[in-house]
Structure formats: C-alpha cells, structure tokens
Amino acid sequence: MEDLRYPIGKFQYAGVATEEQRKLFIANIAETPARLRVAVADLNEEQLKTPYRPEGWTIRQLAHHLPDSHLNAYTRFRLAMTEEQPTIRPYYEDRWAELNDSRNAPIDFSLDLLESLHKRWVYFLESLSESDFSRSFQHPELGLVSLDKNLALYSWHGQHHVAQITSLRVRLDW
C-alpha cells in the first residue's frame, strides 16, 4: 500500500553531490512554482479544503507551507554563506499551518510569493561555487547541515508536496 505521506518516497541524501546533480537540484527548485501552479489549477474552494490524506494538511495549507518553508531555507543558505556555521532557528511548521492565513488565505498569495522567492533563490544558488556547497549551518535538532544536503532536501521537498497534491487529484479523479 502506498504511503500517502510520501508519494515520491522519503528524502534520502547520498552524500556530497556532483556538479551535475547540483544543477538538477537547482532546476527542480526553479520548476517548483510552476509545478505547484499546475497541481492546484482550477481547484475549487471545497477541493482546496480537502486534506491530501486522512489527518493531513489541506491542499490550501500545502500551498501556503511551501513558501513558508522555502523562505526559511533561503535564509539558511544566506546565513551559511555569510557566517561561520551559524546556528539557525527552527520553526514549528505544524503550528504555522494552523494559522489563519495558512487555513484561509487565497493560495494565489503563496503561488506568487513562491515564484518570486524561487527566482531570487535560484539566481543566488547559481552564483555559488562548488566549495560554497560545503559550507554549513547548525540545526538545533539535526546537527550540522551542509548546503549540499540542504540543496538536495529542498529539491526533494518541492517535488514531495506537489506530488501529495497531484496524487490526491488522481485518487479523487479531479
């Protein structure tokens, strides 16, 4: 039986990426906003209120979660590039998803935000050297996280949440 939480599988990190893998990860990040727009296209209010799995977030919450999460990731990249192994502050994504804007705001707000954020983030990522990806930040729960690993994670993260939406659409024949 398919695990509805992980339609593309759980994140796996294979270690330091090659230049070609990094290009693929950056391309995935660049494509996430367009993929999300396609995934949510023409959904009505009832569909946006539908959880992607039992006891899971609604499609609206997923659409708002992506820029919330990716803004944090973008900031972590910038901190790691300007400080020596900075300790970042995690956030409670589950609590953020329960805030009024995450539960009720039009998703166009987040689709536009994600698009602009990713344009800037990709521009930044493409400017980094191979050695820059070995820089890292200290996560209070995960320990030392390299930019290489974080790049792979957020390449996966966008695809992961878009697949939660698209797999729901397939299951419900939307």
Side-chain angles (χ1 to χ4, degrees), residues 16 30 34 37 47 53 65 75 88 99 132 152 154 164 167:
V16 177
R37 279 191 192 276
Q47 291 167 322
R53 67 175 175 87
H65 165 70
T75 300
I88 59 94
L99 293 172
D132 289 337
Y154 280 88
Q164 288 173 332
S167 66

Side-chain angles (χ1 to χ4, degrees), residues 1 7 15 44 66 72 75-76 81 89-90 104 112 131 150 170:
M1 171 128 197
N44 63 39
L66 278 165
N72 277 281
T75 300
R76 292 170 183 179
M81 287 303 299
R89 187 175 183 283
N104 298 302
D112 293 344
S131 64
N150 214 38
V170 168

Side-chain angles (χ1 to χ4, degrees), residues 111-147:
L111 296 175
D112 293 344
L113 176 58
L114 191 68
E115 185 176 335
S116 292
L117 169 63
H118 278 233
K119 285 178 184 177
R120 176 87 183 269
W121 192 11
V122 167
Y123 187 88
F124 172 75
L125 290 170
E126 289 176 340
S127 75
L128 299 181
S129 69
E130 183 172 343
S131 64
D132 289 337
F133 286 98
S134 67
R135 295 185 65 89
S136 57
F137 57 83
Q138 186 71 37
H139 190 290
E141 297 159 1
L142 304 176
L144 202 58
V145 177
S146 71
L147 293 187

Side-chain angles (χ1 to χ4, degrees), residues 39-55:
V40 299
D42 302 320
L43 293 177
N44 63 39
E45 282 300 311
E46 275 310 303
Q47 291 167 322
L48 291 172
K49 292 178 186 176
T50 305
Y52 76 94
R53 67 175 175 87
E55 300 179 26

Side-chain angles (χ1 to χ4, degrees), residues 2-174:
E2 175 189 7
D3 185 344
L4 299 178
R5 293 173 300 172
Y6 300 102
I8 64 167
K10 291 184 179 182
F11 172 68
Q12 296 182 0
Y13 180 60
V16 177
T18 66
E19 183 179 343
E20 287 305 309
Q21 288 170 318
R22 281 190 204 104
K23 286 180 182 178
L24 176 62
F25 295 152
I26 292 169
N28 286 336
I29 289 170
E31 294 166 4
T32 294
R35 288 178 179 163
L36 180 60
R37 279 191 192 276
V38 168
V40 299
D42 302 320
L43 293 177
N44 63 39
E45 282 300 311
E46 275 310 303
Q47 291 167 322
L48 291 172
K49 292 178 186 176
T50 305
Y52 76 94
R53 67 175 175 87
E55 300 179 26
W57 289 343
T58 67
I59 293 175
R60 183 185 312 278
Q61 287 171 301
L62 288 171
H64 292 309
H65 165 70
L66 278 165
D68 289 347
S69 177
H70 292 199
L71 276 165
N72 277 281
Y74 173 65
T75 300
R76 292 170 183 179
F77 269 87
R78 295 181 67 81
L79 287 169
M81 287 303 299
T82 58
E83 302 175 26
E84 289 304 314
Q85 295 183 347
T87 299
I88 59 94
R89 187 175 183 283
Y91 73 105
Y92 296 103
E93 63 184 33
D94 57 330
R95 295 179 189 175
W96 285 39
E98 293 302 322
L99 293 172
N100 183 57
D101 64 327
S102 295
R103 296 185 70 70
N104 298 302
I107 62 171
D108 287 345
F109 296 172
S110 284
L111 296 175
D112 293 344
L113 176 58
L114 191 68
E115 185 176 335
S116 292
L117 169 63
H118 278 233
K119 285 178 184 177
R120 176 87 183 269
W121 192 11
V122 167
Y123 187 88
F124 172 75
L125 290 170
E126 289 176 340
S127 75
L128 299 181
S129 69
E130 183 172 343
S131 64
D132 289 337
F133 286 98
S134 67
R135 295 185 65 89
S136 57
F137 57 83
Q138 186 71 37
H139 190 290
E141 297 159 1
L142 304 176
L144 202 58
V145 177
S146 71
L147 293 187
D148 229 12
K149 182 175 184 177
N150 214 38
L151 180 67
L153 174 62
Y154 280 88
S155 170
W156 171 86
H157 187 257
Q159 294 177 79
H160 162 69
H161 286 303
V162 168
Q164 288 173 332
I165 296 167
T166 57
S167 66
L168 173 66
R169 290 188 75 153
V170 168
R171 286 194 318 275
L172 297 182
D173 196 29
W174 288 349

